[in-house]
Amino acid sequence: MKVIQVTDVHLGRRGEIPFGADLHERLDRCIDHINARHGDAALCVFTGDLTESGEAQSYADLQSALARLSVPYRLLPGNHDRRANLVAAFAGNPTDENGFVQSVFDTQEASLLFLDSLAEGRVTGELCDRRLAWLDARLSEAAGRRAYIFLHHPPIELGLELLDPLGLEQPHRLLEVLTRHGNVRYIFFGHVHRDIAGTVAGIPFAAQRGLHARFVLDLVGDEVVEQAPPAYSIIHIDGQRVVVHSHDFLETWPLWSPATGERVR
């Protein structure tokens, strides 16, 4: 199974160029790239910060752009989003019985579980008792199958002094549920605008930097962003194997053939 992860779209008002990038153009180019190369994907998951400020018009623009995407998709909110506006704009995007933007994508061998970590009015994320109870029930239903978790906020400190306080609040509550069931094989998230991989509570995770500006790696706390090529992830799930490729899709540097040593672009 192939799954595409796109994160941190941060779609704002047309004409705005945050940190020197037109995010409407980036989203359009991202969709073109996925359509051209990954039309066989089972799903495309957008892991939060779909918009910059949660405005209704931004969701309308997002809806118009995603109408061209040839792959089925699921949307998750991030801290820049507004749940009510997201739900109003995308009536077909599933929610749970409590109105949170949570859902499951089941296959014969695996369950993909999508979590709503938005805490309205805060940069940090939360999974309240109702959201965790929903997850607990879904993992029980997935017993005997591998499960994969998608959310916006990281449930682990990543060694980033400025960003770590802005992750998921009380991450141990989520990890207790995941480890108790024992069938979660991977966690995927965004929020930190960097490509990062590791393990937490014995579960592998991968963060995708997404479409917006990238935070420069600085472990002493200086907050600086740079314009790196935007990227999305290609996730291959095949039995015991999970392979995650982070794919830059606006390459501007020359390309060379390793076979001939000649420049091809």
Side-chain angles (χ1 to χ4, degrees), residues 9-11 46 48-52 59 62 75-78 81 86:
V9 179
H10 285 271
L11 207 63
F46 290 78
D49 280 359
L50 309 170
T51 67
E52 177 60 24
Y59 292 111
L62 179 64
L75 305 176
L76 294 177
D81 291 303
L86 168 58

Side-chain angles (χ1 to χ4, degrees), residues 76-204:
L76 294 177
N79 50 285
H80 280 261
D81 291 303
R82 296 296 175 265
R83 189 179 292 109
N85 287 346
L86 168 58
V87 171
F90 292 91
N93 193 62
T95 58
D96 68 13
E97 61 272 16
N98 295 305
F100 295 110
V101 187
Q102 304 199 136
S103 61
V104 179
F105 182 85
D106 277 327
T107 70
Q108 191 170 13
E109 292 187 354
S111 289
L112 310 184
L113 290 90
F114 310 111
L115 302 182
D116 179 340
S117 62
L118 170 60
E120 296 277 6
R122 304 202 298 276
V123 178
T124 53
E126 71 172 355
L127 291 173
C128 60
D129 290 344
R130 289 181 295 171
R131 280 175 273 189
L132 287 174
W134 179 91
L135 173 62
D136 194 19
R138 301 295 82 76
L139 286 173
S140 292
E141 293 169 357
R145 286 180 291 147
R146 298 175 180 87
Y148 303 86
I149 304 293
F150 293 79
L151 74 165
H152 181 67
H153 291 84
I156 180 178
E157 292 188 353
L158 299 167
L160 305 173
E161 184 173 326
L162 284 169
L163 298 176
D164 280 343
L166 306 178
L168 185 69
E169 299 171 5
Q170 298 182 299
H172 65 277
R173 300 181 70 220
L174 169 63
L175 298 175
E176 187 279 326
V177 175
L178 302 186
T179 55
R180 175 160 44 82
H181 284 275
N183 59 338
V184 175
R185 295 293 182 263
Y186 228 105
I187 304 170
F188 301 95
F189 54 86
H191 188 57
V192 293
H193 293 228
R194 289 201 59 81
D195 300 306
I196 306 173
T199 60
V200 57
I203 304 171

